Amino acid sequence: MGIYEELKARGLIAQVTDEEEIRELLNNGKAVFYIGFDPTADSLHVGHFMALCLMKRLQMAGNKPIALIGGGTGMIGDPSGRSDLRQMMTTETICHNCDAFKKQMERFIEFGEGKAMMVNNADWLMKLNYVDMLREVGCCFSVNNMLRAECYKQRMEKGLSFLEFNYMIMQSYDFYHMFQAFGCNMQFGGDDQWSNMLGGTDLIRRKLGKDAYAMTITLLMNAEGKKMGKTASGAVWLDPNKTSPFDFYQYWRNVGDADVLKCIRMLTFLPLEEIDAMDKWEGSQLNRAKEILAYELTKLVHGEDEAEKAQETARALFSGTGDAENMPATVLSEDRFENGKIGVLNLLTACGLCASNGEARRLVQQGGVMVSDKKAEVTDVYDREDFSGEGVVIKKGKKIFHRAQI
RNA sequence: GGGGGAAUUCCAGAGCGGUCAAAUGGGGCAGACUGUAAAUCUGUUGUCUACGACUUCGAUGGUUCGAAUCCAUCUUCCCCCA
């Protein structure tokens, strides 16, 4: 089975421009492909992780990846899948984010001579001259067609600025540029990028009369049709400082039954046969599958040690035995105490478990808080000494554990 | 450039000048049930020194005993015509 077939079997491929050609290129290690990453935050998240895995898989099959950081396109902002104008980012934030991305990616992909490349499209996009640019590529784009593109459709109702309208042209230009500069013959991206990517293959065909290919990766959706990798408080980050390995583990440990196998197939590197065997699992047996999923992903992102720790901690906490060293912890600062004492409500907000005192109060009143295995009351007060040594374990709801120490 | 409309709490979306911290739905959080799943049911969802007080309804001024609701200016967005 070639790599293309494997990707397909894993359900990673959404759309392709020319299946035969792409299969041929990928299976024979002849593809020089790129995936773009927009520096919209200072850390990569789960969505990017899929792309990184894909890069890794293809690299292992002998193809050459180019990771493109959108330092230039970030100046514009991609309107795809957005219902409103993206907030414009300052040049400084973009640079900062680019650096952060670079560091994270190096953990997954091997860069260097003859291996993967990392480039920043600011290097060529920022130099472009408006009129030259229009004359060079502007003539190749049909506004009529662009307006028909899926990525703009929803924005036709809400309003779309000219700035954002140009995003597709910028992205197309990237491909065109890299096709010539690095022999890049293929582009991958999320399925929401399809129209932007076609813009690139089209431009190459028109300008150079050559063929280039594009393929999109299935977006990771749950059974309800929502994007996965998001929580109420935002994305699930790969940066351990933004999403702790334990929380990361728990996110996957808690996916719905209907989604486990899909996630394992798409995100892990487990052999397909092994996954197919799991397909038959059902009911509470799926809990085992969820553990595997969570462990494997944590291992990939944070390393084996962290995965081990997270798993042990989770098992200990949920089985109610053993103590759990690796749960998220907060060190209480002195000024949180008043005369050497602290009330539950303050404790909860100090640990970031509640956003406000009022929220903490409600939570406690509804019986959602346990401190050291005892149900908390609003009037509870703790001594400073209680937090020395191992500290105190706070349980919010059924699944959130937190340790408070001094 | 001309004409019309809209801005409400996380989102969507109600809201007579007093009874509005603001209907309803979604989402979130918690409780029950469970398998750390889903579905379902219940409670809750501005802040605080909490049976009371304080700050909110795009921004700034104004009318009024009183304004999310009326007036003016500004900002942003949408629609129609050019």
Side-chain angles (χ1 to χ4, degrees), chain A residues 178-197:
Chain A
M178 287 191 284
F179 183 89
Q180 296 175 92
F182 315 125
C184 175
N185 52 13
M186 208 177 282
Q187 177 179 185
F188 295 150
D191 201 31
D192 50 348
Q193 293 296 309
W194 184 239
S195 29
N196 288 338
M197 290 161 66

Side-chain angles (χ1 to χ4, degrees), chain A residues 268-288:
Chain A
T268 72
F269 281 78
L270 293 176
L272 280 167
E273 305 84 69
E274 223 171 284
I275 300 174
D276 288 338
M278 290 184 214
D279 247 342
K280 297 186 190 68
W281 295 5
E282 50 183 45
S284 54
Q285 213 179 355
L286 284 173
N287 262 336
R288 175 70 196 129

